[in-house]
């Protein structure tokens, strides 16, 4: 099975990583698409998590992001934790407390 067909890959997270790489390189969708030899709509689909890029595009994106294809597809625990932390600290206090209570209750099960 090809890596980009693995059912364990979270397409939404891959899309966020691709979007981050594009934005860190200060590229528009069109500019990024040209660099990875894809259409603007394909890049948009990847970033939204609708589908994964083909192997050739994954390699080019990984190089642009100074990462590996595996990290692009499966993530890097440190970066994932950092992203989670950044999103959690933006939550209103009540929502954060409610979330913590739900997590605690789920661990009891």
């Amino acid at each position: 099975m090809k890596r980009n067909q693995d059912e364990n890959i979270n397409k939404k997270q891959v899309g966020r990583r691709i979007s981050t790489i594009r934005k860190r390189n200060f590229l528009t969708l069109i500019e990024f698409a040209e660099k990875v030899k894809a259409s603007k709509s394909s890049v948009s689909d990847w970033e939204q998590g609708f589908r994964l890029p083909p192997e050739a595009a994954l390699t080019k994106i990984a190089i642009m992001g100074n990462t590996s294809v595996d990290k692009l597809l499966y993530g890097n625990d440190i970066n994932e934790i950092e992203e989670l932390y950044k999103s959690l600290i933006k939550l209103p206090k009540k929502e954060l407390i409610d979330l913590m209570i739900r997590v605690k209750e789920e661990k009891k099960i």
Side-chain angles (χ1 to χ4, degrees):
M1 172 185 293
K2 290 183 178 180
R3 279 191 296 208
N4 63 351
Q5 294 175 344
D6 187 343
E7 293 174 10
N8 296 320
I9 297 172
N10 183 320
K11 292 178 189 171
K12 293 274 186 200
Q13 288 180 347
V14 173
R16 280 193 288 269
R17 290 182 201 111
I18 292 170
S19 177
T20 299
I21 290 169
R22 177 178 63 80
K23 290 173 183 174
R24 283 185 182 159
N25 283 280
F26 304 102
L27 297 171
T28 65
L29 278 173
I30 294 170
E31 293 167 335
F32 188 80
E34 288 172 357
K35 288 193 177 291
V36 297
K37 306 276 191 267
S39 68
K40 176 185 169 187
S41 63
S42 289
V43 174
S44 178
D45 285 352
W46 305 338
E47 288 188 0
Q48 293 177 62
F50 296 143
R51 57 194 179 97
L52 295 171
E55 285 283 330
L58 283 170
T59 301
K60 290 175 185 169
I61 295 166
I63 291 168
M64 290 173 68
N66 196 26
T67 190
S68 68
V69 172
D70 282 343
K71 284 184 182 174
L72 181 60
L73 291 175
Y74 299 101
N76 174 335
D77 291 339
I78 293 169
N79 290 341
E80 300 294 322
I81 292 169
E82 216 171 273
E83 277 183 43
L84 177 62
Y85 173 75
K86 287 177 183 176
S87 63
L88 286 174
I89 62 173
K90 292 178 185 174
L91 288 175
K93 185 176 180 179
K94 182 176 179 356
E95 284 183 39
L96 183 58
I97 291 170
D98 290 345
L99 176 63
M100 291 169 68
I101 290 169
R102 283 196 314 268
V103 168
K104 183 179 178 183
E105 289 171 356
E106 284 181 17
K107 284 192 170 195
K108 289 180 183 177
I109 296 175

